[in-house]
Amino acid sequence: RDNGIKATNSEDATDVELLLANVLLITVDYLPRLTNQADFDPTAYGLIILDEATQVLYHLLKSKTLTGKDRDAFTAFLQVIQHGTILALDANLNDEAMGLLADWSTALTNTKPPTPYNILNTYKPIKGKATQFSNLSGMIANMIDRLKRGKAIAIHAPTRQFGYWLNQQLAPYANGIYLDSHTIDFERQRQALQNLNEADYQYIIYSPVLGTGYDITRAFDAVFLVGFGTHLTAHDWLQGVGRCRNANELVYYIRERKTKTPNDTATAVEAVYQSRMLATPNATGFDSLDGRALDGYCKMQASRNRMKNHQAGYWLEGLDRHGYGIPVIDDSSNQLIEDALKNMKDPYRDWETD
């Protein structure tokens, strides 16, 4: 746009505008619009740019928002990437994503997979201060103390239930706001999101709904991570706290998950078959397109499961990679907050997933 290139947004475009667009901006959820057009020509797109490529692929294979449209979306994606150059952008582009793109780009033409080229940017580590709390109550007491001293803080909450509860604990001490997938459309929250960097909120609590694609550039005394739950990985946590670009300190509490999930592709495939009650890959209604989608999903899910099964290790590795170094350990706790946590219904339940 800054260079005079006019782009068409699929969410606002008519069917005619969609097909005539030289530059088309489209989300995964709108891909079925392409396959539903009789005149859709996948060869019209010479360059396909995938922003946050790993998340795009995972969303394509797993998202509940595609229920009933998932096959159309997958078909459209395969058709589009057959004929152009793929530019995959991601701060953590993994081998699974690269392998799937190489495989899928020839899925319909049966030609030789393309040669991938890796372009690495010059990474500038944050080199910030990190503090690890051994007790969640101690970290929440630290939040309250900072608010009482007039400091601004941001908090990445892991679940909707916990975010609501934490907002209730902090509200008596300062003016703040909680943003998640259910509240983000409320008028007050919507306006706050549009002007988040200029808003006068002393604290901001946000769920993984702000995990990517949004920069919070206002200054904070600290950004807090409440790390627990089964649906997020250490990479998701790093992405979440990374939304706050100007925090003086990273403060975190991590609760390791107790259950382990399949972390190799073969076991993941078997688990999916059992959950879907498919006796074999050749079950009724199961074709090659389903096979590619299942294989892709299980490869990516197994990769995520490896990170979920060893969250603390991957988290510390990520901190080191981002330049935080060895964190300071704080063992303090707060009995009043401990009691409040005990009284909260299912504080560690994955409400976002439910």
PDB file of all heavy atoms in Angstrom, residues 141-157:
ATOM      1  N   ALA A 141       0.538 -11.187  44.073  1.00  0.00           N
ATOM      2  CA  ALA A 141       0.819 -10.165  45.080  1.00  0.00           C
ATOM      3  C   ALA A 141       1.789  -9.130  44.526  1.00  0.00           C
ATOM      4  O   ALA A 141       1.674  -7.929  44.809  1.00  0.00           O
ATOM      5  CB  ALA A 141       1.391 -10.810  46.345  1.00  0.00           C
ATOM      6  N   ASN A 142       2.734  -9.577  43.696  1.00  0.00           N
ATOM      7  CA  ASN A 142       3.680  -8.669  43.066  1.00  0.00           C
ATOM      8  C   ASN A 142       2.971  -7.736  42.076  1.00  0.00           C
ATOM      9  O   ASN A 142       3.298  -6.549  41.981  1.00  0.00           O
ATOM     10  CB  ASN A 142       4.780  -9.468  42.360  1.00  0.00           C
ATOM     11  CG  ASN A 142       5.874  -8.593  41.781  1.00  0.00           C
ATOM     12  OD1 ASN A 142       5.779  -8.156  40.638  1.00  0.00           O
ATOM     13  ND2 ASN A 142       6.910  -8.364  42.574  1.00  0.00           N
ATOM     14  N   MET A 143       1.988  -8.273  41.353  1.00  0.00           N
ATOM     15  CA  MET A 143       1.181  -7.442  40.451  1.00  0.00           C
ATOM     16  C   MET A 143       0.490  -6.328  41.237  1.00  0.00           C
ATOM     17  O   MET A 143       0.525  -5.148  40.847  1.00  0.00           O
ATOM     18  CB  MET A 143       0.117  -8.297  39.742  1.00  0.00           C
ATOM     19  CG  MET A 143       0.622  -9.367  38.823  1.00  0.00           C
ATOM     20  SD  MET A 143      -0.802 -10.312  38.168  1.00  0.00           S
ATOM     21  CE  MET A 143       0.048 -11.670  37.367  1.00  0.00           C
ATOM     22  N   ILE A 144      -0.153  -6.709  42.340  1.00  0.00           N
ATOM     23  CA  ILE A 144      -0.900  -5.743  43.155  1.00  0.00           C
ATOM     24  C   ILE A 144       0.031  -4.674  43.716  1.00  0.00           C
ATOM     25  O   ILE A 144      -0.290  -3.481  43.737  1.00  0.00           O
ATOM     26  CB  ILE A 144      -1.658  -6.473  44.278  1.00  0.00           C
ATOM     27  CG1 ILE A 144      -2.745  -7.381  43.672  1.00  0.00           C
ATOM     28  CG2 ILE A 144      -2.270  -5.483  45.254  1.00  0.00           C
ATOM     29  CD1 ILE A 144      -3.444  -8.273  44.683  1.00  0.00           C
ATOM     30  N   ASP A 145       1.208  -5.107  44.158  1.00  0.00           N
ATOM     31  CA  ASP A 145       2.174  -4.156  44.709  1.00  0.00           C
ATOM     32  C   ASP A 145       2.581  -3.126  43.658  1.00  0.00           C
ATOM     33  O   ASP A 145       2.672  -1.925  43.947  1.00  0.00           O
ATOM     34  CB  ASP A 145       3.401  -4.913  45.211  1.00  0.00           C
ATOM     35  CG  ASP A 145       4.476  -3.976  45.730  1.00  0.00           C
ATOM     36  OD1 ASP A 145       4.229  -3.292  46.738  1.00  0.00           O
ATOM     37  OD2 ASP A 145       5.556  -3.910  45.113  1.00  0.00           O
ATOM     38  N   ARG A 146       2.819  -3.565  42.449  1.00  0.00           N
ATOM     39  CA  ARG A 146       3.207  -2.631  41.379  1.00  0.00           C
ATOM     40  C   ARG A 146       2.070  -1.662  41.074  1.00  0.00           C
ATOM     41  O   ARG A 146       2.310  -0.473  40.833  1.00  0.00           O
ATOM     42  CB  ARG A 146       3.612  -3.406  40.129  1.00  0.00           C
ATOM     43  CG  ARG A 146       4.915  -4.187  40.290  1.00  0.00           C
ATOM     44  CD  ARG A 146       5.264  -4.950  39.022  1.00  0.00           C
ATOM     45  NE  ARG A 146       6.274  -5.952  39.230  1.00  0.00           N
ATOM     46  CZ  ARG A 146       7.512  -5.924  38.695  1.00  0.00           C
ATOM     47  NH1 ARG A 146       7.870  -4.903  37.929  1.00  0.00           N
ATOM     48  NH2 ARG A 146       8.370  -6.898  38.936  1.00  0.00           N
ATOM     49  N   LEU A 147       0.836  -2.168  41.050  1.00  0.00           N
ATOM     50  CA  LEU A 147      -0.305  -1.293  40.788  1.00  0.00           C
ATOM     51  C   LEU A 147      -0.451  -0.242  41.889  1.00  0.00           C
ATOM     52  O   LEU A 147      -0.738   0.930  41.615  1.00  0.00           O
ATOM     53  CB  LEU A 147      -1.590  -2.115  40.665  1.00  0.00           C
ATOM     54  CG  LEU A 147      -1.684  -3.051  39.458  1.00  0.00           C
ATOM     55  CD1 LEU A 147      -2.979  -3.853  39.508  1.00  0.00           C
ATOM     56  CD2 LEU A 147      -1.613  -2.272  38.137  1.00  0.00           C
ATOM     57  N   LYS A 148      -0.244  -0.643  43.137  1.00  0.00           N
ATOM     58  CA  LYS A 148      -0.332   0.297  44.244  1.00  0.00           C
ATOM     59  C   LYS A 148       0.721   1.398  44.129  1.00  0.00           C
ATOM     60  O   LYS A 148       0.505   2.533  44.565  1.00  0.00           O
ATOM     61  CB  LYS A 148      -0.147  -0.434  45.576  1.00  0.00           C
ATOM     62  CG  LYS A 148      -1.339  -1.278  46.004  1.00  0.00           C
ATOM     63  CD  LYS A 148      -1.059  -1.952  47.344  1.00  0.00           C
ATOM     64  CE  LYS A 148      -2.270  -2.723  47.848  1.00  0.00           C
ATOM     65  NZ  LYS A 148      -1.980  -3.384  49.160  1.00  0.00           N
ATOM     66  N   ARG A 149       1.852   1.065  43.512  1.00  0.00           N
ATOM     67  CA  ARG A 149       2.924   2.047  43.342  1.00  0.00           C
ATOM     68  C   ARG A 149       2.772   2.840  42.054  1.00  0.00           C
ATOM     69  O   ARG A 149       3.663   3.596  41.668  1.00  0.00           O
ATOM     70  CB  ARG A 149       4.283   1.334  43.377  1.00  0.00           C
ATOM     71  CG  ARG A 149       4.636   0.797  44.753  1.00  0.00           C
ATOM     72  CD  ARG A 149       6.052   0.252  44.820  1.00  0.00           C
ATOM     73  NE  ARG A 149       6.200  -1.055  44.179  1.00  0.00           N
ATOM     74  CZ  ARG A 149       6.949  -1.286  43.111  1.00  0.00           C
ATOM     75  NH1 ARG A 149       7.609  -0.295  42.509  1.00  0.00           N
ATOM     76  NH2 ARG A 149       7.047  -2.514  42.610  1.00  0.00           N
ATOM     77  N   GLY A 150       1.624   2.643  41.366  1.00  0.00           N
ATOM     78  CA  GLY A 150       1.346   3.418  40.169  1.00  0.00           C
ATOM     79  C   GLY A 150       2.006   2.909  38.910  1.00  0.00           C
ATOM     80  O   GLY A 150       2.021   3.607  37.884  1.00  0.00           O
ATOM     81  N   LYS A 151       2.536   1.692  38.944  1.00  0.00           N
ATOM     82  CA  LYS A 151       3.212   1.121  37.780  1.00  0.00           C
ATOM     83  C   LYS A 151       2.194   0.488  36.829  1.00  0.00           C
ATOM     84  O   LYS A 151       1.169  -0.055  37.249  1.00  0.00           O
ATOM     85  CB  LYS A 151       4.227   0.068  38.218  1.00  0.00           C
ATOM     86  CG  LYS A 151       5.289   0.573  39.193  1.00  0.00           C
ATOM     87  CD  LYS A 151       6.186   1.612  38.560  1.00  0.00           C
ATOM     88  CE  LYS A 151       7.316   2.013  39.496  1.00  0.00           C
ATOM     89  NZ  LYS A 151       8.209   3.025  38.893  1.00  0.00           N
ATOM     90  N   ALA A 152       2.488   0.542  35.535  1.00  0.00           N
ATOM     91  CA  ALA A 152       1.633  -0.084  34.521  1.00  0.00           C
ATOM     92  C   ALA A 152       2.147  -1.484  34.210  1.00  0.00           C
ATOM     93  O   ALA A 152       3.359  -1.687  34.068  1.00  0.00           O
ATOM     94  CB  ALA A 152       1.616   0.755  33.249  1.00  0.00           C
ATOM     95  N   ILE A 153       1.242  -2.452  34.128  1.00  0.00           N
ATOM     96  CA  ILE A 153       1.639  -3.834  33.857  1.00  0.00           C
ATOM     97  C   ILE A 153       0.727  -4.451  32.811  1.00  0.00           C
ATOM     98  O   ILE A 153      -0.403  -4.013  32.602  1.00  0.00           O
ATOM     99  CB  ILE A 153       1.606  -4.701  35.134  1.00  0.00           C
ATOM    100  CG1 ILE A 153       0.181  -4.755  35.709  1.00  0.00           C
ATOM    101  CG2 ILE A 153       2.604  -4.191  36.164  1.00  0.00           C
ATOM    102  CD1 ILE A 153       0.039  -5.708  36.905  1.00  0.00           C
ATOM    103  N   ALA A 154       1.238  -5.483  32.148  1.00  0.00           N
ATOM    104  CA  ALA A 154       0.459  -6.270  31.194  1.00  0.00           C
ATOM    105  C   ALA A 154       0.551  -7.729  31.611  1.00  0.00           C
ATOM    106  O   ALA A 154       1.598  -8.174  32.098  1.00  0.00           O
ATOM    107  CB  ALA A 154       0.984  -6.084  29.777  1.00  0.00           C
ATOM    108  N   ILE A 155      -0.529  -8.483  31.415  1.00  0.00           N
ATOM    109  CA  ILE A 155      -0.570  -9.881  31.858  1.00  0.00           C
ATOM    110  C   ILE A 155      -1.118 -10.758  30.746  1.00  0.00           C
ATOM    111  O   ILE A 155      -2.206 -10.493  30.219  1.00  0.00           O
ATOM    112  CB  ILE A 155      -1.450 -10.058  33.118  1.00  0.00           C
ATOM    113  CG1 ILE A 155      -0.953  -9.149  34.249  1.00  0.00           C
ATOM    114  CG2 ILE A 155      -1.458 -11.510  33.561  1.00  0.00           C
ATOM    115  CD1 ILE A 155      -2.010  -8.288  34.833  1.00  0.00           C
ATOM    116  N   HIS A 156      -0.368 -11.804  30.413  1.00  0.00           N
ATOM    117  CA  HIS A 156      -0.830 -12.800  29.449  1.00  0.00           C
ATOM    118  C   HIS A 156      -1.480 -13.936  30.232  1.00  0.00           C
ATOM    119  O   HIS A 156      -0.805 -14.677  30.955  1.00  0.00           O
ATOM    120  CB  HIS A 156       0.347 -13.322  28.625  1.00  0.00           C
ATOM    121  CG  HIS A 156      -0.045 -14.323  27.577  1.00  0.00           C
ATOM    122  ND1 HIS A 156      -0.075 -15.667  27.828  1.00  0.00           N
ATOM    123  CD2 HIS A 156      -0.440 -14.171  26.287  1.00  0.00           C
ATOM    124  CE1 HIS A 156      -0.455 -16.310  26.733  1.00  0.00           C
ATOM    125  NE2 HIS A 156      -0.673 -15.421  25.791  1.00  0.00           N
ATOM    126  N   ALA A 157      -2.810 -14.058  30.125  1.00  0.00           N
ATOM    127  CA  ALA A 157      -3.556 -15.082  30.866  1.00  0.00           C
ATOM    128  C   ALA A 157      -3.737 -16.326  29.998  1.00  0.00           C
ATOM    129  O   ALA A 157      -3.986 -16.213  28.791  1.00  0.00           O
ATOM    130  CB  ALA A 157      -4.913 -14.533  31.290  1.00  0.00           C
TER     131      ALA A 157
END
